[in-house]
Amino acid sequence: MTVSVIHSTTAGPTSLNTYVTSRNDSCAYGGTYIQTGRSAYSNGQFTCSSSAKGNYQMVEIEASRLSLSGRYTASSNFCTTITGRFAVARN
């Protein structure tokens, strides 16, 4: 699995674009990003090559030298709601 995160603070509100690619699917998440002290949150929309699409919210996003982690909630045209945690090692 490959995860790419692009954090932009150019004109307008701060945005977060995340791209997740696995063996079976690839998804693009795009939305606003708001820093709240040590952690942050993001909400927006996503689309996947499998034709899944919907809305997401990531909360308690924390980045360190070694990892990126947080909690997420999403709903799509294939499922009502999915919730969980994510953690990604940085290279």
Side-chain angles (χ1 to χ4, degrees), residues 74-82:
S75 59
S76 76
N77 52 326
F78 292 129
C79 65
T80 306
T81 302
I82 185 169

Side-chain angles (χ1 to χ4, degrees), residues 42-87:
S42 175
N43 59 30
Q45 298 179 331
F46 69 92
T47 58
C48 300
S49 60
S50 65
S51 72
K53 60 183 176 180
N55 300 309
Y56 78 89
Q57 180 179 42
M58 295 182 206
V59 297
E60 298 175 7
I61 301 170
E62 292 193 20
S64 72
R65 269 184 346 105
L66 303 175
S67 67
L68 176 70
S69 64
R71 294 185 306 120
Y72 69 90
T73 301
S75 59
S76 76
N77 52 326
F78 292 129
C79 65
T80 306
T81 302
I82 185 169
T83 61
R85 295 188 167 275
F86 65 90

